[in-house]
Amino acid sequence: MNLETFLLLAAALFAVGLYGALSQQSVVMLMMGLELMVNGLVVAGGAFWFYVAPGSADGQVLVLVAVTVMALEMAMGFAVVTALFRARDVDVTDDASDLKG
């Protein structure tokens, strides 16, 4: 596979995530859209790193760290959404707007 294929995949992931983040009102669907956008960035970064320095494993380690951080971030986000839903029975972004400082 060549670089253009990976970049096309990354652009498709980012575009689907952007559409999902902008069109959904559910907090969970919004977070899923943001996760797809970040996954597109990780795919593009890993592809660039592989084609710039194919002999070193630095790019793969960076992608692994990024995916681990994304998993932790999503776990924390789902915990906040679950707590918000249990406390206020709110699952859409319009109803959660009173949380801003």
Side-chain angles (χ1 to χ4, degrees), residues 34-89:
L34 294 174
E35 186 73 17
L36 279 174
M37 291 170 62
V38 172
N39 281 333
L41 293 175
V42 167
V43 167
F48 273 124
W49 202 299
F50 178 75
Y51 283 97
V52 168
S56 67
D58 294 339
Q60 288 84 3
V61 172
L62 180 67
V63 167
L64 185 63
V65 169
V67 168
T68 304
V69 169
M70 285 178 3
L72 291 172
E73 172 250 337
M74 288 304 288
M76 294 297 292
F78 281 125
V80 168
V81 169
T82 302
L84 181 66
F85 183 75
R86 287 183 181 175
R88 298 187 183 178
D89 200 26

Side-chain angles (χ1 to χ4, degrees), residues 3-47:
L3 181 62
E4 291 83 17
T5 306
F6 283 115
L7 292 180
L8 187 62
L9 173 67
L13 280 172
F14 191 85
V16 169
L18 183 64
Y19 175 75
L22 293 177
S23 67
Q24 300 296 320
Q25 287 188 345
S26 172
V27 177
V28 174
M29 294 300 290
L30 175 72
M31 289 174 52
M32 289 173 65
L34 294 174
E35 186 73 17
L36 279 174
M37 291 170 62
V38 172
N39 281 333
L41 293 175
V42 167
V43 167

